[in-house]
């Protein structure tokens, strides 16, 4: 590793999680198709989606621990102050938004009384089974919130990718190399 790259474990987790979230968005979109409603495929996709979410939650917590222990590489020289602030806020969002999205999804499943399972293994119940609170259907409300958060996360990732491309092709900063799986020499 050079001082211009994140530690190898962070780089591996970055790309594993990118693939994981891409899979989550694809399965999430497909399982919501009207043509799949109340079918075995829809049920299988829900189970897979939940299991991938639990996996990603574990990987996110591991990634946060790695980030706390290992200092990230310095930002490229020549960034404006708003780019530095945007970078820090964007990265913070890429940690917090997935966490909130996954916790809201966990709440949705627990409120509905379904119980979160990780590939058939029952996970701890974090939220009580509750149909309503103050006249609000909790499962439906958290389902809507989860979907909005997932779309927001996708938008944030699009901005993240756009920023990487802008820095590489407009500014000449190879920020993607900081997350490359190949070690720089």
């Amino acid at each position: 590793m050079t001082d211009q790259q994140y530690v190898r474990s962070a780089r591996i987790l970055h790309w594993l999680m990118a693939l994981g979230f891409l899979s989550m968005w694809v399965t999430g979109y497909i399982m919501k198709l009207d043509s799949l409603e109340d079918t075995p495929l829809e049920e299988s996709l829900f189970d897979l989606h939940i299991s991938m979410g639990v996996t990603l939650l574990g990987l996110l917590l591991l990634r946060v621990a790695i980030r706390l222990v290992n200092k990230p590489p310095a930002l490229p020289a020549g960034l404006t102050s708003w780019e530095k602030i945007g970078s820090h806020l964007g990265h913070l969002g890429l940690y917090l938004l997935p966490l909130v999205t996954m916790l809201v999804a966990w709440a949705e499943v627990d409120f509905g009384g379904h119980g979160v399972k990780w590939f058939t293994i029952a996970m701890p119940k974090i939220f009580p089974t509750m149909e309503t609170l103050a006249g609000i259907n909790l499962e439906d409300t958290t389902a809507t919130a989860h979907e909005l958060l997932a779309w927001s996360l996708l938008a944030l990732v699009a901005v993240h990718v756009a920023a990487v491309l802008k820095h590489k092709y407009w500014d000449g900063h190879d920020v993607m190399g900081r997350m490359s799986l190949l070690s720089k020499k």
Side-chain angles (χ1 to χ4, degrees):
M1 181 191 93
T2 71
D3 60 352
Q4 296 306 310
Q5 284 188 301
Y6 285 86
V7 295
R8 183 178 304 280
S9 54
R11 290 181 279 144
I12 291 168
L13 282 173
H14 174 273
W15 292 108
L16 277 175
M17 292 181 74
L19 287 173
F21 280 111
L22 179 60
S23 299
M24 292 290 282
W25 288 308
V26 170
T27 59
Y29 180 80
I30 293 171
M31 70 189 193
K32 299 287 281 181
L33 293 174
D34 290 338
S35 61
L36 293 183
E37 192 169 344
D38 297 325
T39 66
L41 178 56
E42 178 193 43
E43 188 66 32
S44 294
L45 288 173
F46 265 102
D47 292 343
L48 178 61
H49 189 79
I50 291 167
S51 294
M52 286 190 306
V54 172
T55 302
L56 285 168
L57 179 58
L59 291 176
L60 178 64
L61 296 175
L62 178 59
R63 190 154 177 218
V64 168
I66 290 168
R67 176 76 183 252
L68 291 173
V69 172
N70 297 281
K71 183 180 176 186
L75 293 173
L79 293 183
T80 65
S81 58
W82 71 267
E83 286 175 317
K84 290 176 186 176
I85 292 168
S87 175
H88 292 304
L89 290 175
H91 284 101
L92 180 63
L94 289 169
Y95 285 98
L96 291 178
L97 194 51
L99 177 64
V100 171
T101 303
M102 290 183 276
L103 289 177
V104 167
W106 200 302
E108 173 191 348
V109 175
D110 277 357
F111 286 148
H114 309 292
V116 173
K117 290 184 180 174
W118 181 64
F119 300 106
T120 72
I121 299 169
M123 294 287 101
K125 190 165 181 64
I126 299 174
F127 303 92
T129 299
M130 291 177 60
E131 189 172 324
T132 62
L133 180 66
I136 297 170
N137 182 305
L138 294 175
E139 185 178 12
D140 289 348
T141 301
T142 51
T144 299
H146 174 66
E147 189 171 344
L148 291 172
L149 288 164
W151 283 110
S152 299
L153 179 56
L154 183 58
L156 180 58
V157 167
V159 170
H160 177 66
V161 170
V164 168
L165 294 173
K166 178 234 184 234
H167 284 292
K168 180 168 180 69
Y169 295 109
W170 186 303
D171 301 333
H173 303 137
D174 184 20
V175 294
M176 185 180 266
R178 297 158 37 113
M179 264 307 164
S180 173
L181 291 175
L182 302 174
S183 292
K184 290 184 176 182
K185 296 192 175 161

